[in-house]
Amino acid sequence: MIDNYGRKINYLRVSVTDLCNLRCAYCMPAEGIRKKDHCDILNFEEIENIVRAAVLLGIDKVRITGGEPLVRNGIVQLVESIARIKGLKDLSITTNGIFLKKYARDLKRAGLHRVNISLDSLDKTKYKKITHCGELDDVLEGIIIAEEAGFSPVKINVVLMGGYNDDEIEDFVSLTLKRDIEVRFIELMPLGEAKNWPLGSFISNDTVLSKVPKLVPLPFMGHGTVARMYKLPNARGRIGLISPLSCHFCNYCNRVRVTSDGKLKPCLHSDQEIDLKNVHPDELKRLLYQGIRAKPTKHRLNTQPCSMVKRNMNEIGG
Ligand code: SAM
Ligand code: SF4
């Protein structure tokens, strides 16, 4: 479906829980969050109905996210039923990767096409510091098992934080030399826990290009592509730069989001929401249509240093 600004909207991101097994410093409060009542979270039938209605409006790409989607009970079953929806061409998940060694093969069998794994440090001590409780080895093992299960290329999301992991840029880039992996550097956004972080934490993705000048730009992939792609000469994998702050990509935005409590968010950086919970399936298509038409032309993150968005990223799903 085409929105009010001529953009083709074909991508839906669904958060299936706001809970998480990690506490990434920029995303989750260190003390965790209050667990919502079961009845306040979308059940599987509601999620399937929302995806079905979205597909009728031209959505053909769905990403399952969270919180941590792999902590949601029955996640494989949910993936299996979404994967069966006719008209859906691409089904992916964003995960911190800790539970991939348990689930990667079953997710592949269930019909999942692609996996993005968030990993902000390759150093055990720093990884634990950023996530508060994560073990780096669990994620590294999860990446290997995901590759073995047939998710290729695996994409690794790295949120760059000045003073935290900007000294690891070269190490992340080197991962692509021998493996068919896509490392995607994402600029930290002033959302959620990162809202009041010092300015020095927010660094432009141009830092990657200045630290690794050998990177060669790849052709622009067109509509819906938010990453600028690069490659090291002779490398198997690729590098993506996702730059919501330094490089406005709202003109190419092709997505809407649904939170785990059923709110449709036309834009990540706006508090505008449409409630899809407890809505009759026949009404969903109309509400989704209304939400897509309501997408703003662009966000104002670059002009307002501190985002006013009330929800944390673990609720919205990134
Ligand atoms: N738990 C899963 C994970 O970490 O991949 C999925 C949910 S997480 C909210 C989705 C993505 O949002 C992760 O890649 C995370 O690093 C990113 N994210 C969270 N807060 C962010 C922020 N303030 N700025 C940029 N990216 C952020
Ligand atoms: Fe959890 Fe993902 Fe947020 Fe980290 S970024 S706290 S893994 S939801």
Side-chain angles (χ1 to χ4, degrees):
M1 163 177 170
I2 307 294
D3 77 358
N4 278 351
Y5 302 96
R7 296 169 297 198
K8 182 178 167 200
I9 309 300
N10 69 330
Y11 183 17
L12 173 69
R13 297 172 70 113
V14 186
S15 172
V16 296
T17 178
D18 56 351
L19 300 176
C20 187
N21 52 324
L22 300 184
R23 301 278 177 273
C24 299
Y26 54 84
C27 177
M28 272 271 201
E31 66 280 10
I33 52 162
R34 193 187 63 82
K35 192 169 185 236
K36 289 194 170 74
D37 285 343
H38 207 57
C39 58
D40 292 329
I41 293 290
L42 289 175
N43 61 40
F44 285 1
E45 193 183 350
E46 287 174 308
I47 295 175
E48 284 165 47
N49 285 338
I50 290 171
V51 175
R52 240 180 237 111
V55 168
L56 290 176
L57 286 172
I59 298 287
D60 57 12
K61 221 178 137 177
V62 168
R63 176 171 297 276
I64 296 178
T65 177
E68 173 47 41
L70 300 187
V71 303
R72 175 92 192 233
N73 272 336
I75 185 69
V76 175
Q77 178 201 333
L78 176 66
V79 164
E80 196 167 15
S81 41
I82 295 179
R84 276 199 228 110
I85 295 175
K86 282 214 170 64
L88 197 62
K89 294 188 187 141
D90 184 63
L91 180 59
S92 59
I93 207 164
T94 299
T95 167
N96 59 39
I98 297 278
F99 294 126
L100 268 181
K101 55 183 166 181
K102 179 171 175 198
Y103 287 121
R105 292 189 179 89
D106 289 344
L107 288 168
K108 184 71 189 169
R109 271 193 291 271
L112 189 73
H113 298 126
R114 298 187 298 114
V115 178
N116 283 35
I117 300 166
S118 303
L119 174 60
D120 299 327
S121 178
L122 295 169
D123 174 276
K124 280 184 193 194
T125 314
K126 271 162 74 179
Y127 182 76
K128 188 158 254 175
K129 187 174 166 208
I130 292 171
T131 61
H132 286 189
C133 47
E135 294 295 342
L136 176 66
D137 286 344
D138 289 336
V139 189
L140 297 179
E141 207 181 319
I143 294 173
I144 291 171
I145 291 178
E147 286 177 307
E148 286 172 0
F151 292 109
S152 179
V154 162
K155 293 186 183 175
I156 298 183
N157 289 353
V158 185
V159 174
L160 271 187
M161 292 163 270
Y164 248 48
N165 61 359
D166 48 337
D167 57 341
E168 294 191 58
I169 290 174
E170 289 96 333
D171 298 337
F172 274 110
V173 171
S174 298
L175 285 181
T176 64
L177 272 171
K178 298 216 166 71
R179 289 162 77 180
D180 188 14
I181 281 180
E182 189 172 311
V183 173
R184 297 149 61 92
F185 292 101
I186 303 173
E187 286 176 350
L188 177 69
M189 294 178 280
L191 284 175
E193 294 302 297
K195 214 183 264 187
N196 299 314
W197 278 23
L199 271 183
S201 316
F202 300 89
I203 53 174
S204 158
N205 260 337
D206 289 343
T207 317
V208 176
L209 299 178
S210 58
K211 288 211 174 185
V212 195
K214 278 188 296 186
L215 284 172
V216 180
L218 298 174
F220 177 60
M221 300 296 284
H223 169 78
T225 317
V226 294
R228 285 177 294 151
M229 298 306 301
Y230 295 82
K231 203 175 191 304
L232 277 178
N234 303 319
R236 281 194 69 199
R238 308 192 301 170
I239 302 295
L241 301 185
I242 302 179
S243 315
L245 294 193
S246 65
C247 173
H248 238 299
F249 48 64
C250 301
N251 284 347
Y252 305 107
C253 185
N254 62 344
R255 62 202 61 187
V256 289
R257 296 171 165 82
V258 175
T259 63
S260 55
D261 55 355
K263 306 289 188 291
L264 173 69
K265 282 185 77 72
C267 173
L268 173 62
H269 301 291
S270 153
D271 278 327
Q272 182 184 23
E273 295 180 345
I274 295 176
D275 199 357
L276 303 179
K277 177 110 183 98
N278 301 319
V279 164
H280 192 276
D282 296 345
E283 264 292 280
L284 287 171
K285 193 173 157 201
R286 187 184 65 77
L287 291 174
L288 283 160
Y289 179 89
Q290 196 180 311
I292 291 173
R293 296 301 280 192
K295 256 182 91 63
T297 168
K298 63 178 183 177
H299 69 66
R300 293 187 175 78
L301 274 182
N302 342 41
T303 48
Q304 294 172 350
C306 198
S307 166
M308 293 298 131
V309 177
K310 291 192 199 94
R311 285 181 185 261
N312 271 20
M313 281 292 256
N314 65 295
E315 293 177 276
I316 307 171

